Amino acid sequence: MNVNDISLEIRAVAEEAQAALAQQFAKIDSVAFKNTEKVMLAFQNNRVGEACFAGTTGYGYDDLGRDTLDKIYADVFNTEAALVRTGFVNGTHALTAGLFSMLAPGETLLAVTGAPYDTLRRAVGIGNPEFGSLAFYGIKYSQIDLLPSGMADIPSILAALNDKCVKAVFIQRSRGYELRRALSVKEIGEICSAVRSVRDDVYIMVDNCYGEFTELTEPTDVGADLIAGSLIKNPGGGLAPMGGYLAGKKVLIERAAARLTSPGIGGECGASLNSNRQLYQGLFVAPHVVAQALKTAVFCAYVMEKKGYRTSPAYNESRSDIIQMIQFNDPNMMKAFCKGIQAGAPVDSYVSPEPWQMPGYDYPVIMAAGSFIQGSSIELSADGPFVPPYTVYMQGGITFESGMLGIMLALSGM
Ligand SMILES: *Cc1c(COP(=O)(O)O)cnc(C)c1O
């Protein structure tokens, strides 16, 4: 199956959808425009020049490109400091360094948006204080779930903060791969204000994965002390080959750097090799690329709603992450959708995704992705547990045109 198999009928559906979504798209473009201004100003204020793109080798002392990029991220996210490194193998790694920067043995981490993202649970040591986890070092964990409405349970959060051992509050912005919705930056600000109304001696950290540049402000504009995310998602703009970032209070960034490398070494070592140019250019295009992914998600929601499927967010709901959930209630339709997304990829379009029992999961999972950067989910991808209600999480699309083609092929397959 390829683009020649897209029927005239499906092409007409796509045209109608684009016309109907003009207003939504204009709003997305205006957010991208303002975020581009913000990023451009940070580049200019930090005097980015050709010398920033030359990498270092070995220890990586005085890596102008690396150190300047840290300052640019700090400016963009309105923080004292930042740490942007290809030495972070993924978002989980950056998030884990951030968690360790806030807490000492005997203190408690309080998650206030339910359990953290799957891959972080072992790092925290939830239910199993395995070697090297936070729990192994005597850092305790407690959790408050979101209310059924999807809002934070502020009264329970305030009650939990009576415990003076709580020294860090953890918020996850994105839905991740859960049925919950993403929290808006405004809602994150409300949680921060509530926390601050009773305690000024706790740190507030936000898992910002999939959220960057979807709104005009970021969690660090509204009271978060620390954010972290992955460079093969939004802020890498599809160009960063790997890595993660943290932005926040200087003391926390220094501690996280010492966790990434070693105490006494911190962020002053870490050769950037040949990656600087891609990290800079990736950040520069990220507001635009995030807009492409958002348009792809909105387009998908619109056409799938027209076909009668439940989606979340709905096409006309406001968004704070790039993830689109579609509920198929039918294994064949779910599989056909994923096969279509795969067929619409520029890379690996000739393979056909099948559900399989992935290590670490209790159920078969189906995944569609054909990306230039392995596992990059700012590029179009779709996956989900192959069990009722057959829910797919779709995200990414570095150009809206290719995202649209992927969804048109998915429709063709169905
Ligand atoms: C992607 C993601 C992470 C980190 O995942 P990695 O695969 O390690 O980059 C953490 N939290 C959320 C909400 C995510 O979406």
Side-chain angles (χ1 to χ4, degrees):
M1 188 163 64
N2 64 34
V3 292
N4 293 325
D5 299 312
I6 299 172
S7 68
L8 289 178
E9 189 197 334
I10 286 174
R11 289 183 188 271
V13 167
E15 257 182 54
E16 187 271 326
Q18 281 192 88
L21 294 170
Q23 241 186 332
Q24 250 84 15
F25 287 2
K27 250 196 265 173
I28 292 169
D29 285 336
S30 104
V31 172
F33 182 72
K34 296 212 175 76
N35 283 331
T36 298
E37 265 188 76
K38 179 159 79 173
V39 171
M40 185 184 281
L41 199 58
F43 271 59
Q44 294 165 347
N45 288 342
N46 287 286
R47 303 176 63 85
V48 173
E50 178 70 21
C52 292
F53 306 143
T56 53
T57 56
Y59 290 130
Y61 289 124
D62 301 318
D63 191 312
L64 178 72
R66 181 196 67 203
D67 295 346
T68 303
L69 190 61
D70 285 348
K71 292 187 189 132
I72 292 171
Y73 265 70
D75 285 358
V76 166
F77 290 112
N78 189 20
T79 59
E80 292 173 4
L83 186 71
V84 188
R85 292 293 182 279
T86 50
F88 283 124
V89 301
N90 56 18
T92 304
H93 189 189
L95 283 155
T96 302
L99 289 172
F100 273 103
S101 78
M102 300 187 293
L103 293 149
E107 297 178 346
T108 300
L109 170 68
L110 177 67
V112 299
T113 49
Y117 190 71
D118 287 65
T119 58
L120 277 177
R121 295 178 194 169
R122 277 182 71 175
V124 175
I126 299 172
N128 172 22
E130 71 180 275
F131 195 98
S133 64
L134 291 166
F136 176 80
Y137 290 109
I139 296 165
K140 286 168 274 179
Y141 172 76
S142 83
Q143 175 181 321
I144 294 165
D145 290 333
L146 291 168
L147 296 168
S149 63
M151 311 286 277
D153 182 354
I154 302 278
S156 298
I157 296 171
L158 293 178
L161 289 167
N162 282 326
D163 176 355
K164 296 295 177 213
C165 288
V166 172
K167 283 291 164 62
V169 168
F170 186 78
I171 299 168
Q172 182 180 307
R173 176 175 178 177
S174 164
R175 66 180 55 235
Y177 298 106
E178 307 269 345
L179 288 174
R180 60 161 279 199
R181 61 186 187 81
L183 291 182
S184 68
V185 172
K186 182 164 171 284
E187 289 170 302
I188 290 170
E190 285 160 7
I191 300 174
C192 293
S193 302
V195 170
R196 285 289 169 248
S197 73
V198 293
R199 294 280 299 275
D200 54 14
D201 62 336
V202 297
Y203 292 118
I204 303 172
M205 178 175 182
V206 177
D207 174 348
N208 209 28
C209 282
Y210 285 135
E212 299 89 352
F213 304 126
T214 56
E215 296 193 60
L216 292 175
T217 54
E218 298 289 340
T220 38
D221 291 313
V222 296
D225 298 307
L226 187 64
I227 53 174
S230 164
L231 298 190
I232 61 169
K233 295 180 182 173
N234 305 15
L239 295 177
M242 68 177 295
Y245 79 94
L246 288 144
K249 290 239 147 64
K250 189 158 179 277
V251 58
L252 299 179
I253 295 299
E254 282 173 357
R255 290 179 188 166
R259 167 88 197 172
L260 169 65
T261 61
S262 157
I265 305 293
E268 282 165 58
C269 281
S272 59
L273 305 176
N274 285 321
S275 61
N276 281 337
R277 189 187 306 271
Q278 291 155 297
L279 301 196
Y280 276 84
Q281 200 170 1
L283 176 64
F284 182 66
V285 300
H288 177 75
V289 171
V290 168
Q292 304 301 292
L294 283 172
K295 285 183 187 178
T296 303
V298 169
F299 175 85
C300 177
Y302 183 86
V303 297
M304 296 311 283
E305 282 167 41
K306 285 266 139 139
K307 282 184 78 81
Y309 294 105
R310 191 172 97 83
T311 67
S312 175
Y315 82 89
N316 54 0
E317 243 178 287
S318 57
R319 289 168 190 254
S320 189
D321 70 9
I322 61 168
I323 299 180
Q324 180 63 50
M325 186 280 283
I326 312 118
Q327 194 175 303
F328 287 94
N329 291 318
D330 176 339
N332 293 322
M333 284 300 148
M334 177 176 180
K335 210 195 262 187
F337 180 88
C338 291
K339 281 182 194 279
I341 294 288
Q342 187 75 41
V347 180
D348 292 337
S349 65
Y350 52 86
V351 304
S352 179
E354 291 291 336
W356 64 299
Q357 195 71 48
M358 255 174 82
Y361 289 86
D362 301 331
Y363 37 73
V365 175
I366 185 163
M367 295 189 156
S371 54
F372 291 95
I373 305 288
Q374 187 196 104
S376 165
S377 47
I378 186 65
E379 300 183 55
L380 188 66
S381 46
D383 37 73
F386 201 66
V387 289
Y390 298 101
T391 300
V392 166
Y393 297 89
M394 187 207 80
Q395 61 276 313
I398 51 176
T399 68
F400 172 58
E401 294 79 8
S402 64
M404 199 165 64
L405 282 172
I407 291 157
M408 288 162 79
L409 274 165
L411 288 175
S412 306
M414 293 167 66

